Amino acid sequence: KLLRDRAIIYNPEDPVLYKELGWIFQHKIGNVLDDAQQYYKNQLANDMMLVVTQDPDWQGIADAPANDEEFLKVYPENSPVRKAITSAGYQTLEELHHDFRAGSKVPDKLARALGNSEEMIHKMDNFLRAEYLRDKYKLDPDMILELNNKYGNLDWRLPEAQSIYWATMGLKKTPGNRSLDCERMISQALFEAFRSGRMLIIDNKEFKSVMIVPNFDVIDSAKRVFDETIKANEDINSFVSAKNNFLKDAIVLLFNYGKFSKAREYFDMLKKENPGNNEYNISLDDFAMKEWLMEVKDGSYKKTMDIIDGLLKRSFTYIVYGDDDAAIASEKIAKAVYAKHQTEFKDVPRLILPAYTEIKKNVLEKLMQENPPEVTEILKNRLNLQRKDKTPELPGLKSEVDKWDTSVLKKINK
């Protein structure tokens, strides 16, 4: 608040302030180095969910009147909207804002006064959310819409999105629109927004756990930003190394989540940009396995969660295809990775993963939501142990799923 609500107001052209503000979101909340990082993530997400819904209408929120004064111009005193507000018992817009914040929705008495019109309720909801964002979080909906259009749909309940926001504001406000710190922060935060930029579940009671998965919507944008940053800073080799690390992580994550075509595209890109590196003169499968095992050994919280999530998703996919052996093998690997991580970091509370059953349950629920109805129905039937029916074939899909050799379990144990 000191930086965001005061310092930037008095020093709007100082990029260091924007960088420091973004760094709090990116490092203190977004990373896993602080013992309370899970608590911070949960509190931020729960707080933002008071104003940001699961699927926000960012276009409508950005198009809403920017403040009370503009609202009163758009809806003059004799308009049906103003009459409805008055008949609902509100003497001022300030009273309406207060009631909206108390319930995070258009108050029922105003909805009734608007004739329960879905269109008008939605417009009022967008206006009240826009005001809430600007007043409490100092976030401009127009800027949020601009960033979503530029980079892909960011999850604004997560710290990486706000880190990108403030670093971008730093570039916009700085004379000459150049700041190496802000440029670096955008590329790093986009990298993290890709690796772990979509929230599946939070703990809004104990604030002790949060489940985050990759956001594949922003992968191409992250790659583009790396390219632009490298071009603008040709004398700084660290950006080239950072991009290579991004490409390698992207390949493994895409492969792990069954997005094989995109993984091949990025693997070809990596080989093209590193023509003399014999390390990449192997197949995509072998490369993914090698990198995957290194990540398991590394023990990173985020990467381990990505691996377990991807393996469980693959296991459920095999179940749909009727390949029970492959499904069992994938889950065995997931359990082995989980057990290894929990054992390695049993004395480091901030790196302890959520319960395995909880992870598995949420992966399944997410798959049920994402899959076509016919695939979801097959999965439900296959998971019902009492059913004896043969799973219908799904032509053309199974070819995209490669079996993983269960001998990898031995490598994990080593």
Side-chain angles (χ1 to χ4, degrees):
K1 285 184 178 180
L2 180 63
L3 285 166
R4 186 191 64 193
D5 301 357
R6 295 177 62 186
I8 285 175
I9 301 300
Y10 296 113
N11 305 274
E13 296 183 351
D14 187 348
V16 174
L17 297 178
Y18 295 95
K19 185 265 289 186
E20 291 296 334
L21 178 56
W23 182 249
I24 292 174
F25 284 104
Q26 180 181 337
H27 186 75
K28 190 72 172 177
I29 305 174
N31 213 317
V32 297
L33 300 178
D34 193 292
D35 287 344
Q37 53 90 11
Q38 292 276 22
Y39 179 81
Y40 296 149
K41 287 181 175 68
N42 269 279
Q43 288 286 8
L44 176 65
N46 277 281
D47 208 33
M48 288 299 296
M49 285 170 65
L50 297 175
V51 60
V52 176
T53 60
Q54 184 75 24
D55 186 23
D57 176 15
W58 287 118
Q59 185 66 62
I61 293 173
D63 290 342
N67 50 49
D68 287 359
E69 183 179 349
E70 186 176 322
F71 179 88
L72 296 177
K73 290 180 180 178
V74 174
Y75 300 104
E77 191 170 354
N78 60 349
S79 68
V81 171
R82 289 284 294 282
K83 290 179 179 178
I85 292 173
T86 301
S87 66
Y90 294 106
Q91 302 301 314
T92 64
L93 287 178
E94 185 177 352
E95 295 174 2
L96 175 56
H97 289 308
H98 178 272
D99 277 9
F100 174 80
R101 295 187 186 195
S104 295
K105 68 172 188 174
V106 174
D108 291 340
K109 59 183 181 180
L110 177 56
R112 289 192 296 268
L114 290 168
N116 290 316
S117 165
E118 290 186 9
E119 179 184 358
M120 289 312 304
I121 292 171
H122 186 61
K123 285 186 176 181
M124 285 300 304
D125 186 82
N126 284 337
F127 163 66
L128 294 167
R129 291 187 189 280
E131 190 277 339
Y132 200 172
L133 277 169
R134 289 189 176 97
D135 181 60
K136 182 173 182 179
Y137 304 102
K138 305 302 183 283
L139 297 173
D140 184 352
D142 290 318
M143 182 69 167
I144 289 176
L145 183 63
E146 178 185 326
L147 293 175
N148 283 343
N149 290 337
K150 184 176 182 178
Y151 299 128
N153 291 319
L154 298 168
D155 190 334
W156 290 90
R157 299 169 298 175
L158 296 176
E160 289 78 17
Q162 297 205 36
S163 179
I164 292 168
Y165 181 97
W166 292 110
T168 303
M169 287 297 292
L171 288 177
K172 284 179 174 289
K173 298 290 187 179
T174 301
N177 305 122
R178 290 296 308 276
S179 165
L180 183 60
D181 286 333
C182 290
E183 291 171 11
R184 194 186 301 275
M185 179 166 292
I186 292 171
S187 62
Q188 290 173 344
L190 267 176
F191 189 179
E192 292 304 320
F194 155 62
R195 290 203 303 185
S196 53
R198 187 162 58 91
M199 180 169 285
L200 283 187
I201 189 170
I202 59 173
D203 175 6
N204 55 15
K205 292 182 179 179
E206 300 293 330
F207 307 108
K208 290 181 179 179
S209 64
V210 58
M211 186 172 293
I212 302 170
V213 295
N215 181 357
F216 292 108
D217 284 350
V218 303
I219 181 173
D220 289 333
S221 297
K223 185 261 178 186
R224 186 188 72 242
V225 168
F226 273 112
D227 287 338
E228 292 171 351
T229 306
I230 289 170
K231 186 176 181 180
N233 301 276
E234 294 180 348
D235 57 329
I236 302 177
N237 293 329
S238 60
F239 283 116
V240 176
S241 298
K243 182 188 174 184
N244 269 334
N245 290 334
F246 159 72
L247 290 175
K248 289 191 285 187
D249 275 13
I251 293 163
V252 174
L253 277 175
L254 289 165
F255 189 91
N256 199 36
Y257 279 79
K259 300 180 182 296
F260 302 112
S261 297
K262 196 70 173 178
R264 292 188 187 97
E265 176 188 333
Y266 270 66
F267 187 47
D268 290 342
M269 194 184 303
L270 179 67
K271 290 194 288 187
K272 183 178 179 180
E273 296 192 7
N274 297 272
N277 194 330
N278 294 327
E279 181 185 354
Y280 308 137
N281 292 333
I282 54 179
S283 70
L284 171 62
D285 290 30
D286 288 342
F287 175 82
M289 178 63 75
K290 181 171 70 72
E291 292 291 320
W292 183 80
L293 289 172
M294 288 175 61
E295 289 177 359
V296 172
K297 185 178 180 181
D298 177 56
S300 162
Y301 180 97
K302 289 183 179 180
K303 288 184 178 180
T304 303
M305 280 294 292
D306 291 339
I307 291 167
I308 294 170
D309 188 86
L311 286 168
L312 286 174
K313 184 176 181 180
R314 179 170 302 195
S315 177
F316 286 123
T317 303
Y318 282 134
I319 290 173
V320 171
Y321 298 138
D323 194 339
D324 292 338
D325 289 342
I328 291 170
S330 289
E331 182 163 9
K332 277 185 178 179
I333 298 172
K335 286 181 176 179
V337 173
Y338 179 88
K340 179 177 177 61
H341 181 95
Q342 297 293 74
T343 301
E344 289 284 334
F345 298 99
K346 61 183 179 182
D347 296 325
V348 189
R350 62 184 168 83
L351 295 180
I352 294 297
L353 302 174
Y356 179 82
T357 53
E358 180 185 344
I359 297 175
K360 184 176 178 179
K361 174 176 175 288
N362 284 289
V363 170
L364 177 59
E365 288 178 351
K366 190 65 177 178
L367 270 180
M368 294 288 195
Q369 295 172 9
E370 293 178 345
N371 281 335
E374 60 272 18
V375 176
T376 297
E377 189 62 28
I378 292 171
L379 181 56
K380 286 180 179 179
N381 291 339
R382 292 278 301 161
L383 290 173
N384 186 342
L385 299 180
Q386 295 179 351
R387 281 190 62 93
K388 303 294 184 181
D389 299 351
K390 183 180 178 181
T391 305
E393 292 293 328
L394 300 178
L397 290 179
K398 192 170 182 178
S399 61
E400 272 294 278
V401 182
D402 300 330
K403 292 184 179 180
W404 284 47
D405 187 349
T406 53
S407 65
V408 73
L409 288 170
K410 297 179 181 178
K411 297 178 182 178
I412 292 174
N413 291 331
K414 288 181 180 178

